[in-house]
Amino acid sequence: MALGEGEDHGAAAPLIADHEKYAGGGGIVRSGSSSSWVCWVLQHTALFGYGIAYTITASISCRAILKANCYHKHGHDAPCSYEGSYYMLVFGAAQLFLSFIPDFHDMAWLSVVAAVMSFSYAFIGLGLGMATTIANGTIKGSITGVPMRTPMQKIWRVSQAIGDIAFAYPYSLILLEIQDTLKSPPAENKTMKRASMISILVTTFFYLCCGCFGYAAFGSDAPGNLLTGFGFYEPYWLIDFANACIILHLLGGYQVYSQPIFQFADRFFAERFPDSGFVNDFHTLQLPCLPPWRVNLLRVCFRTVYVASTTAVAVAFPYFNEVLALLGALNFWPLAIYFPVEMYFIQRNVTRWSARWVVLQTFSVVCLLVSAFALVGSIEGLISQKLG
């Protein structure tokens, strides 16, 4: 969705409680109950976590391109191994440069590029999975999934898988930020309802198709990341292109998740230190062959520290499936289930102990239990990977 200039914020008001304040680019801002504080902390912690996950994923895709070329040249049994930390640092350097995009309003081109890349690698993954399944002449795998040595290992693996599934539901994290950049009319809530329905249907289609055809193609040997785990070796040039699309998508996606934090920091320090030149003054920097560039020292320092911190955590915990499962388990219930349900109760004046109230509360409790189960398994997997 193209990002435009926000004009009317009134449409967002029914989505939150009356005692909360809403500000574009910053999510639900701290005024009133502790719930708004908790939601704000969870939301921004999740955004930070997605920066870590995207750094890890970009590194894996960079190495996948090198591996695909190596396997093509030296054979599938060649010892093609590449260190991931270097590529995380390269990705972090690129994000440091992109982080100086002022705000959401200047990111339309990056958002479009990221969306196009996302569709490109999703179609490639789906097509390769279908082609491999057809070439095999059979559907691999089983309804019981990957066999494990002990029942406890199976339980941990199932819980991690649930966390990975929960990670595929991230749009609630930036729903309000994007809504605040929309032009109106039509009303923002109507535009977002239609856009959300379309996005959910499209992403569900691709996730299910890629996951199902990937498992049908490779069975228990299905890689965690279909385009980087090397079930596919040929055509190597297509694997290279798909992973290049992933990297470009992640470059834009990182910024979409990080800009709300940057905007909050800019506003917070400007309000706290209104007379500080370090916080509020802009300086013009003229580089050769480039237009004048306005630089704010606070932005330089804060955004550099932010990108460096996500990169450092990714280097320390470069475990793709486990990190994704942990983020999904942490964020799914509070941000995608609990707070939306509570907002719905307030918005629609749902009577306590009515049939609708009982059904939604039961649904929320079940999702809480599932998220807790996934959280325990993802933590176990992360510790096992780190210690192993």
Side-chain angles (χ1 to χ4, degrees):
M1 176 181 298
L3 303 179
E5 186 172 349
E7 296 177 2
D8 177 16
H9 301 176
L15 295 176
I16 58 179
D18 292 337
H19 56 266
E20 296 168 348
K21 293 181 181 178
Y22 175 72
I28 297 177
V29 182
R30 311 112 322 261
S31 176
S33 75
S34 59
S35 294
S36 60
W37 275 94
V38 172
C39 183
W40 179 87
V41 170
L42 287 171
Q43 184 186 33
H44 286 74
T45 302
L47 294 173
F48 180 82
Y50 278 90
I52 298 170
Y54 277 23
T55 303
I56 296 172
T57 310
S59 169
I60 294 173
S61 292
C62 288
R63 287 182 289 160
I65 293 174
L66 297 175
K67 285 183 179 182
N69 295 335
C70 177
Y71 289 140
H72 176 74
K73 184 177 181 180
H74 301 291
H76 298 170
D77 296 326
C80 299
S81 179
Y82 301 92
E83 174 59 39
S85 299
Y86 170 78
Y87 301 101
M88 293 183 193
L89 294 175
V90 172
F91 183 79
Q95 289 301 337
L96 182 60
F97 174 77
L98 291 174
S99 292
F100 293 105
I101 296 174
D103 54 36
F104 260 134
H105 307 302
D106 300 296
M107 287 181 57
W109 65 273
L110 190 60
S111 177
V112 171
V113 170
V116 172
M117 294 300 102
S118 179
F119 276 105
S120 297
Y121 71 73
F123 274 116
I124 292 172
L126 174 57
L128 289 174
M130 293 178 61
T132 302
T133 302
I134 294 172
N136 292 338
T138 184
I139 296 177
K140 295 187 177 182
S142 67
I143 193 66
T144 58
V146 180
M148 305 299 292
R149 290 193 299 270
T150 65
M152 184 56 65
Q153 287 181 335
K154 185 67 173 180
I155 292 174
W156 293 136
R157 182 62 65 90
V158 169
S159 65
Q160 290 176 32
I162 293 174
D164 286 330
I165 294 171
F167 180 83
Y169 193 83
Y171 81 96
S172 60
L173 301 181
I174 57 172
L175 184 65
L176 295 177
E177 280 80 5
I178 292 179
Q179 180 166 349
D180 192 52
T181 66
L182 298 178
K183 293 181 179 180
S184 58
E188 292 173 2
N189 58 347
K190 294 182 179 180
T191 302
M192 288 305 297
K193 182 176 182 179
R194 181 171 179 270
S196 297
M197 289 299 297
I198 294 174
S199 64
I200 291 172
L201 291 174
V202 171
T203 54
T204 300
F205 170 79
F206 279 110
Y207 278 134
L208 284 177
C209 288
C210 289
C212 292
F213 277 108
Y215 189 61
F218 301 110
S220 297
D221 296 324
N225 189 331
L226 194 59
L227 290 167
T228 62
F230 285 91
F232 302 121
Y233 292 96
E234 300 292 342
Y236 78 99
W237 58 268
L238 187 59
I239 305 301
D240 288 352
F241 176 74
N243 280 289
C245 289
I246 292 177
I247 295 169
L248 290 175
H249 166 71
L250 295 174
L251 285 170
Y254 184 105
Q255 287 302 310
V256 169
Y257 286 116
S258 300
Q259 283 292 333
I261 297 179
F262 297 159
Q263 297 308 306
F264 164 76
D266 291 345
R267 283 197 315 276
F268 175 82
F269 287 107
E271 293 171 359
R272 184 64 62 90
F273 307 102
D275 300 322
S276 171
F278 176 81
V279 172
N280 299 294
D281 290 351
F282 283 82
H283 308 276
T284 301
L285 181 64
Q286 181 67 62
L287 299 177
C289 304
L290 292 175
W293 185 25
R294 299 182 71 229
V295 177
N296 175 271
L297 294 179
L298 170 67
R299 289 186 178 184
V300 171
C301 294
F302 179 84
R303 300 185 187 200
T304 299
V305 170
Y306 177 88
V307 173
S309 62
T310 59
T311 305
V313 175
V315 171
F317 298 94
Y319 314 117
F320 177 77
N321 281 347
E322 289 75 13
V323 169
L324 264 59
L326 178 63
L327 292 172
L330 279 173
N331 302 322
F332 175 72
W333 178 74
L335 293 179
I337 304 298
Y338 173 75
F339 282 113
V341 168
E342 294 300 316
M343 291 175 187
Y344 178 81
F345 287 158
I346 295 172
Q347 182 189 44
R348 298 297 177 90
N349 294 317
V350 177
T351 304
R352 185 180 293 269
W353 299 113
S354 64
R356 181 177 299 180
W357 186 91
V358 170
V359 169
L360 289 176
Q361 288 287 22
T362 302
F363 171 72
S364 180
V365 170
V366 170
C367 288
L368 170 61
L369 296 176
V370 172
S371 296
F373 175 60
L375 179 62
V376 173
S378 61
I379 293 174
E380 188 279 336
L382 200 62
I383 294 174
S384 298
Q385 285 282 8
K386 191 64 177 178
L387 298 180

